[in-house]
Amino acid sequence: MEDLGWWGVVLAVLAGAIRVSTPFLFVSLGELLTEKSGRINLGLEGTLVMGAMSGYAISYLTGSPWLGVLVAGVAGALFGMLHAAICSLPRVNDIAVGIALMLLGTGLAFFLGKAFIQPQAPILPAIDFGWWSDVPQVRAALQINVLFVIGLLLAPFLLWVLTNTRWGLIVRTVGDSADAARAMGYSVDLVRLAATMAGGFLAGIGGSFLSLYYPGSWNEGLSSGQGLMAVALVIFARWHPIRCLGAALLFGGAGALGPALQSVGVSQGYYLFNAAPYVLTLVIMIATCSPTRTLAGAPGELSITK
Amino acid sequence: MVDQIARLPRTASPLFPGFSLDSVRRGAEAILIPVGALLATAIVFGLFVAAAGADPLETYSLMYRGAFGTWFSWQNTLQRTAPLLLTALCVALPAKLGLVIIGGEGALVMGGLVSAAVGAALIGVPPWLLLGLMAMAGMAAGGAWIALAGALRQFRGVNETISSLLLAYIAIALMNHMVEGPLRDPASLNKPSTPPLGEANMIGSIPGLDVHWGLVFGLIACLAAYVLMQRTTFGFGARMVGGNVRAARMAGLSVTTLSMITCFLAGASAGLAGMVEVAAVHGSAKASLVAGYGYTGILIAFIARQNPLAVIPVALMFGGIAASGGLLQRRLDLPDATILVLQGIAFVMILASDTLYGRFRIFQPRG
């Protein structure tokens, strides 16, 4: 194995950006869709953990990791349904319901996932994009999972749906002015239910990536706030799917910094480097938010920016 | 129409002057709706446990025994209630201003870490002084942590719910770093920790009980928070900000000062919980400080409807539930996450029950 020195760190961060960003990407696209309909779902952290657990369990029980991904998405959609159903009751606060579902999702996943901590389930395959290189680190870095590619295509697709289709217009109308949508004869609750379920579906898939590809096993410390950071990431991306993609890659790179430094022997401050994504999120939020004006691109009905 | 005449003013009951039936109705609503939500939780959780292959009735009787059945379990429950009282205040106080702060775990960890560092640095001074300084340092650290989230909200418009939770993750990382690096006790091998305080410097037990003084701190804090919010000008201002920020500004209240002080007090109470955990339970700061008290505190504050006095019975109940977890694990082979599931269901039910307020005619004022 060649010694790449500090270039190894750069390479590992870039490779990590691709690998670690996938769950960020899926959760943030899901959250973006939900927020476009005017509701915020803080519970995606719980959905993510639930997706990771159910995907892993199904992959172990059936031997098919892709079935696991699908079931993870369905589990996420069910959580989205629960969120939307409770929030559609009058005088119920969507942020608080999100916090509750964060606790419920995590608890349920830990409860049901107890039996799946030990066994090894079949995990998702990777596509080898690095066949042309002789350097093992480069080859390892270019082992890219199919889900990342799907996420890469999903971002422009979502942008197209939101800007150019009838459905996208309905979702945005509901998100910007519930009264206008009602006047046009659309059911606000129904549209939000669909958007929250679709968002939960994507977040569940993001969770399955954690357990079925990287790190590639199920345990209780699997998610460390990715679902929550994705919510902040959507604000940073100003509710734009393509900027979400860029932000997810940035967060992935920050998340890969700690392990990359450790691999070249920098173990001092390992925990501090692991906190890099949280600090980055906070710094980004401080830089982008403003106390006096509403953020450009924010859906008008969103409680978090009002 | 006819009713209206019959329902004309009757503010005070003739039997007890100054006692109004309407306040009873409102009080009954505030108590009965959460109790109803908790009963619904019990039914859903019972079904869940039954689906997992355990007998729901046996589960509940074991939970009761594990929480309040014996003197030993009572003490175990009270031991866990102490930090929960304080972390619930960390949510309930800012909620009066309309802020949703959920990073109490971070303030607890910072309070524990800083107080342990102070304790280790000043070892040798008389125990009462050492503990006093530790408590002040822990409260200052926790207070600063939540005040930071409040400041970001005030000055930069950063959502306090997200920032406080991010700060909690950062606090945990910071503690792990300090405990494994600069503050590590060389004698702690497998489980790194800060240097131990020593038996003589620990917070002792309440006489006649095997429960440490942290419980008393928690009760005093809840009473003080109630008085502050309901009986002082400061509290009136804070509640006004929570009701309508613009009106509060028009009335000349400084929203910034009110929210910064409230956030500091909230963080200080969670920081005190961390200090008590260090000085009464663990003897040093280490990874086991992160025990989820901050998250359970959120749930308790919401069930108590952000009322510091109502926090006391609710915290006792969840202290009991946490204490019974071990028994459920041993006797029914249910995983420790069972308690988390119960908490999650309770949280969802309580929030869903918010929609019921004002729906029942029997609770409405007739005056």
Side-chain angles (χ1 to χ4, degrees), chain B residues 115-208:
Chain B
S115 63
V118 167
L122 297 179
I123 211 116
V125 304
W128 61 268
L129 183 62
L130 184 74
L131 287 173
L133 290 172
M134 280 176 68
M136 285 211 276
M139 285 163 73
W145 212 244
I146 299 299
L148 181 57
L152 290 179
R153 165 68 188 242
Q154 275 306 308
F155 299 112
R156 291 298 311 164
V158 175
N159 179 273
E160 76 285 356
T161 312
I162 296 175
S163 72
S164 66
L165 196 48
L166 287 172
L167 282 169
Y169 285 117
I170 295 174
I172 293 168
L174 206 58
M175 184 195 68
N176 282 329
H177 173 73
M178 298 306 272
V179 165
E180 299 222 347
L183 288 177
R184 180 171 184 164
D185 174 23
S188 63
L189 297 173
N190 290 333
K191 289 184 175 165
S193 72
T194 57
L197 284 175
E199 201 60 45
N201 291 320
M202 301 269 285
I203 295 180
S205 299
I206 302 167

Side-chain angles (χ1 to χ4, degrees), chain A residues 42 45 86 89-92 95-97 99-104 107-108 110-112 114 220 224-225 228-229 231-232 235 268-272 275 278-279 281-282 285-287 289-291 304, chain B residues 48 52 100 102 152 154-159 161-163 165-167 169-170 173-174 176-177 180 295 298-299 302 334-338 340-341 344-345 347-348 351-352 354-359:
Chain A
L42 272 190
E45 174 71 23
I86 299 172
L89 299 169
R91 279 193 306 278
V92 174
I95 291 185
V97 174
I99 301 169
L101 288 183
M102 206 187 292
L103 284 181
L104 181 65
L108 214 52
F110 289 179
F111 184 96
L112 299 171
K114 211 68 186 185
E220 297 186 351
S224 43
L228 187 90
M229 278 187 273
V231 178
I235 300 174
Q268 264 293 320
Y270 172 71
Y271 287 105
L272 291 186
Y278 312 119
V279 178
T281 314
L282 206 55
M285 291 204 21
I286 294 169
C289 291
S290 158
I304 204 161
Chain B
F48 177 81
V100 186
I102 60 173
L152 290 179
Q154 275 306 308
F155 299 112
R156 291 298 311 164
V158 175
N159 179 273
T161 312
I162 296 175
S163 72
L165 196 48
L166 287 172
L167 282 169
Y169 285 117
I170 295 174
L174 206 58
N176 282 329
H177 173 73
E180 299 222 347
Y295 300 114
I298 306 169
L299 170 62
F302 270 88
L334 290 168
D336 48 358
T338 314
L340 286 179
V341 174
I345 296 174
F347 208 155
V348 170
L351 291 174
D354 273 350
T355 195
L356 296 177
Y357 288 88
R359 289 276 185 92

